[in-house]
Structures are given as structure tokens and as C-alpha cells.
Amino acid sequence: MIIKTKDSPETLTKAHTYSAPALEKGFNVIELLAENPQGLTISEIAAGLGLSMSEIFRIIMVMERRGWLKRKAGDRLRVATKVLDLAFKSTPAEELIQAAAPLMRELVQRVEQSCHLVIGNGNSGLVVFRQQAPGPTVFAVRIGAGIALEDSCSGHVLLAFNALDLDPSLTVAAQSGPLSATLQRVRARGYEMMKSTRTLGVTDLSYPVFDGQGHAFAALTIPFLQLVDGTQTVDSKEARICLQEIASRISDELSGAR
């Protein structure tokens, strides 16, 4: 398809790409700092991007002035929470969190375990909200953490129910690849339950949350921590039943059902 623009006599193909070097450098800074949450100095940022100090200095100063970057001890810069705030405000994640937050608070009180919400984010999952267990022993996943899809409980739920905002090619490949039997089982029973692949003594439980159109929007997950001191009053089966109820009620909130 050929597109003619008013501000240029040239014809542009659909595949034409534009260049905005300063903007791209700003995005590169954010992506680099996202991989280095401890923060980096300006010279380390320049080195990490293969640029000179003069090429990056003014861009970083503007980003800091606009609140996208925050300076911490040792003159290290890190991504500011403004980025997360803007992301939530400009995506359906904010609506999801508003609907889920009070019900997730109820859930952690009932099961005495932490829980978190994971949404699709290209070829991974992203933790957008959590509620911590009320007791003295807490196991929780941090907000903003990336979740591998293939070997995680939340990831299996997102893939099994073809969640929004996942890379379509990834979900298609997963349905016919080595995970196909696992995902079929998750769809059949409506949830995933598996030993944590990262932490001993933790069994992950996860149910899908659906939006108003019936599309899988998120995975609501409990990393169920097994205590050994005899103080645990809710077992994993009871926790799973509560989790199913809360995930369903969040879906009802998102669909406007009462």
C-alpha cells in the first residue's frame, strides 16, 4: 500500500521507518536502567550504550528534570516511579488494579498468604500489583518483576487462556510445542498448580481473570508458602478454592456484573 503525506511530496511505503535519534537514545537509557535497578552513573550509561558523554548528557538532564529518572546516592540514576505510574494510567492495568485491590486484600486475610496479579507483556508476564500476607512470615513477588511464561504458574495460565498483550506468535507456538499438553490440562481444569521452580517450600496456585469481553486479562496467583511450625490454619486446597472465588469476583467487577 502506498501512502501520500501532506507534509512530504515523497511517497512512503508502509514499511518505511522514521528516525528520531534523541528520542531513541532516551528509550535506550530507560531500557538500560531497567536492566540495572541498582542505578548507573552517567558515564556508565554512556558506556553501556556505546555513546560519548556529550551525546547522552543533555538527554539525561532533560529526563531527570521531567521526572523520568531519579538520582540516588553516589550520583547513580535509576528509572523513576513516574514511569510505572504513567504506564498504569495509560493502560487497562489501572482499571484491573482498582477492581482487584480490595478483593485481593480480602484474599490474603482469608488464606494468610501473599498474592499477585500478572498480565501479558509481549513474550513475558509482568507483575502489576500484589498484596502481602498479614502474618510475620511473608513470601511475595515484587511489583514490576518480569515473569517467564514457559516455566511459571502464572505464565502457564496466561498462555493457556491466550491472554491479552502477549506476543501472538508466542502463544501460537506454545499451543503446539512441548508445553501443549500442560496448557491443555490447565484449560481443562481452569487453573494451574505447581511447585515453584525457584523456591523450595512454595507451591504456586493461579487462576485467570477475564475482562468484560471474556478475554483472559491477567493471572491471579498465590505463591503458597508451607510453614513447618504448626501455625498454618489454611491448607493449599482451601487457599485454591478461595483464589478461584476471588478471581471470579474480580472478573465480574471488570465485566460490570453485580
Side-chain angles (χ1 to χ4, degrees), residues 119-125 149 159 164-168 170-171:
I119 63 172
N121 184 35
N123 61 1
S124 64
L149 298 175
L159 287 171
L164 299 173
D165 296 324
L166 288 181
D167 183 342
L170 179 67
T171 56

mmCIF file of all heavy atoms in Angstrom, residues 119-125 149 159 164-168 170-171:
data_model
loop_
_atom_site.group_PDB
_atom_site.id
_atom_site.type_symbol
_atom_site.label_atom_id
_atom_site.label_comp_id
_atom_site.label_asym_id
_atom_site.label_seq_id
_atom_site.Cartn_x
_atom_site.Cartn_y
_atom_site.Cartn_z
ATOM 1 N N ILE A 119 0.068 -9.714 34.229
ATOM 2 C CA ILE A 119 -0.542 -9.501 32.918
ATOM 3 C C ILE A 119 0.464 -9.864 31.834
ATOM 4 O O ILE A 119 1.668 -9.988 32.087
ATOM 5 C CB ILE A 119 -1.009 -8.039 32.726
ATOM 6 C CG1 ILE A 119 0.186 -7.069 32.776
ATOM 7 C CG2 ILE A 119 -2.066 -7.663 33.758
ATOM 8 C CD1 ILE A 119 -0.171 -5.639 32.398
ATOM 9 N N GLY A 120 -0.026 -10.047 30.618
ATOM 10 C CA GLY A 120 0.849 -10.318 29.494
ATOM 11 C C GLY A 120 1.656 -9.093 29.120
ATOM 12 O O GLY A 120 1.163 -7.961 29.189
ATOM 13 N N ASN A 121 2.885 -9.328 28.697
ATOM 14 C CA ASN A 121 3.765 -8.217 28.315
ATOM 15 C C ASN A 121 4.706 -8.703 27.208
ATOM 16 O O ASN A 121 5.883 -8.933 27.430
ATOM 17 C CB ASN A 121 4.568 -7.738 29.530
ATOM 18 C CG ASN A 121 5.434 -6.526 29.213
ATOM 19 O OD1 ASN A 121 5.051 -5.674 28.423
ATOM 20 N ND2 ASN A 121 6.611 -6.459 29.824
ATOM 21 N N GLY A 122 4.149 -8.902 26.017
ATOM 22 C CA GLY A 122 4.955 -9.391 24.904
ATOM 23 C C GLY A 122 5.281 -10.862 25.062
ATOM 24 O O GLY A 122 4.412 -11.723 25.009
ATOM 25 N N ASN A 123 6.549 -11.154 25.292
ATOM 26 C CA ASN A 123 6.968 -12.555 25.442
ATOM 27 C C ASN A 123 7.229 -12.937 26.893
ATOM 28 O O ASN A 123 7.933 -13.897 27.171
ATOM 29 C CB ASN A 123 8.210 -12.838 24.591
ATOM 30 C CG ASN A 123 9.397 -11.978 24.997
ATOM 31 O OD1 ASN A 123 9.296 -11.179 25.927
ATOM 32 N ND2 ASN A 123 10.508 -12.128 24.305
ATOM 33 N N SER A 124 6.655 -12.168 27.824
ATOM 34 C CA SER A 124 6.797 -12.486 29.252
ATOM 35 C C SER A 124 5.555 -12.007 29.992
ATOM 36 O O SER A 124 4.632 -11.457 29.400
ATOM 37 C CB SER A 124 8.054 -11.809 29.826
ATOM 38 O OG SER A 124 7.936 -10.400 29.782
ATOM 39 N N GLY A 125 5.545 -12.243 31.297
ATOM 40 C CA GLY A 125 4.487 -11.699 32.137
ATOM 41 C C GLY A 125 5.040 -10.555 32.966
ATOM 42 O O GLY A 125 6.252 -10.433 33.139
ATOM 43 N N LEU A 149 7.239 -17.122 30.958
ATOM 44 C CA LEU A 149 5.963 -17.774 30.693
ATOM 45 C C LEU A 149 6.053 -19.295 30.718
ATOM 46 O O LEU A 149 5.186 -19.975 31.263
ATOM 47 C CB LEU A 149 5.423 -17.315 29.336
ATOM 48 C CG LEU A 149 5.129 -15.824 29.193
ATOM 49 C CD1 LEU A 149 4.730 -15.507 27.763
ATOM 50 C CD2 LEU A 149 4.040 -15.386 30.154
ATOM 51 N N LEU A 159 -0.711 -18.244 29.001
ATOM 52 C CA LEU A 159 -0.588 -18.922 27.705
ATOM 53 C C LEU A 159 -1.802 -19.807 27.420
ATOM 54 O O LEU A 159 -2.320 -19.825 26.298
ATOM 55 C CB LEU A 159 0.684 -19.759 27.666
ATOM 56 C CG LEU A 159 2.008 -19.004 27.551
ATOM 57 C CD1 LEU A 159 3.182 -19.957 27.757
ATOM 58 C CD2 LEU A 159 2.127 -18.308 26.196
ATOM 59 N N LEU A 164 -4.495 -11.384 26.816
ATOM 60 C CA LEU A 164 -4.244 -10.148 26.076
ATOM 61 C C LEU A 164 -2.805 -9.688 26.266
ATOM 62 O O LEU A 164 -2.180 -9.962 27.289
ATOM 63 C CB LEU A 164 -5.197 -9.050 26.561
ATOM 64 C CG LEU A 164 -6.696 -9.317 26.382
ATOM 65 C CD1 LEU A 164 -7.493 -8.222 27.077
ATOM 66 C CD2 LEU A 164 -7.052 -9.389 24.904
ATOM 67 N N ASP A 165 -2.294 -8.990 25.271
ATOM 68 C CA ASP A 165 -0.984 -8.331 25.312
ATOM 69 C C ASP A 165 0.198 -9.305 25.303
ATOM 70 O O ASP A 165 1.326 -8.907 25.585
ATOM 71 C CB ASP A 165 -0.860 -7.386 26.517
ATOM 72 C CG ASP A 165 -1.840 -6.227 26.427
ATOM 73 O OD1 ASP A 165 -2.073 -5.751 25.308
ATOM 74 O OD2 ASP A 165 -2.378 -5.809 27.460
ATOM 75 N N LEU A 166 -0.051 -10.564 24.968
ATOM 76 C CA LEU A 166 1.053 -11.484 24.725
ATOM 77 C C LEU A 166 1.393 -11.455 23.240
ATOM 78 O O LEU A 166 0.535 -11.174 22.396
ATOM 79 C CB LEU A 166 0.681 -12.915 25.122
ATOM 80 C CG LEU A 166 0.562 -13.230 26.614
ATOM 81 C CD1 LEU A 166 0.204 -14.701 26.793
ATOM 82 C CD2 LEU A 166 1.864 -12.923 27.349
ATOM 83 N N ASP A 167 2.627 -11.766 22.913
ATOM 84 C CA ASP A 167 3.045 -11.873 21.522
ATOM 85 C C ASP A 167 2.246 -13.007 20.866
ATOM 86 O O ASP A 167 2.354 -14.158 21.294
ATOM 87 C CB ASP A 167 4.539 -12.185 21.477
ATOM 88 C CG ASP A 167 5.085 -12.252 20.061
ATOM 89 O OD1 ASP A 167 4.291 -12.402 19.118
ATOM 90 O OD2 ASP A 167 6.313 -12.166 19.904
ATOM 91 N N PRO A 168 1.422 -12.711 19.847
ATOM 92 C CA PRO A 168 0.576 -13.755 19.234
ATOM 93 C C PRO A 168 1.374 -14.949 18.717
ATOM 94 O O PRO A 168 0.926 -16.093 18.830
ATOM 95 C CB PRO A 168 -0.124 -13.014 18.082
ATOM 96 C CG PRO A 168 -0.089 -11.577 18.484
ATOM 97 C CD PRO A 168 1.194 -11.392 19.234
ATOM 98 N N LEU A 170 4.035 -16.154 19.921
ATOM 99 C CA LEU A 170 4.467 -16.960 21.062
ATOM 100 C C LEU A 170 3.341 -17.873 21.537
ATOM 101 O O LEU A 170 3.548 -19.053 21.816
ATOM 102 C CB LEU A 170 4.923 -16.051 22.203
ATOM 103 C CG LEU A 170 5.386 -16.752 23.487
ATOM 104 C CD1 LEU A 170 6.668 -17.518 23.238
ATOM 105 C CD2 LEU A 170 5.591 -15.728 24.599
ATOM 106 N N THR A 171 2.129 -17.336 21.616
ATOM 107 C CA THR A 171 1.009 -18.153 22.085
ATOM 108 C C THR A 171 0.671 -19.253 21.088
ATOM 109 O O THR A 171 0.349 -20.379 21.485
ATOM 110 C CB THR A 171 -0.239 -17.278 22.335
ATOM 111 O OG1 THR A 171 -0.568 -16.564 21.143
ATOM 112 C CG2 THR A 171 0.014 -16.277 23.441
#
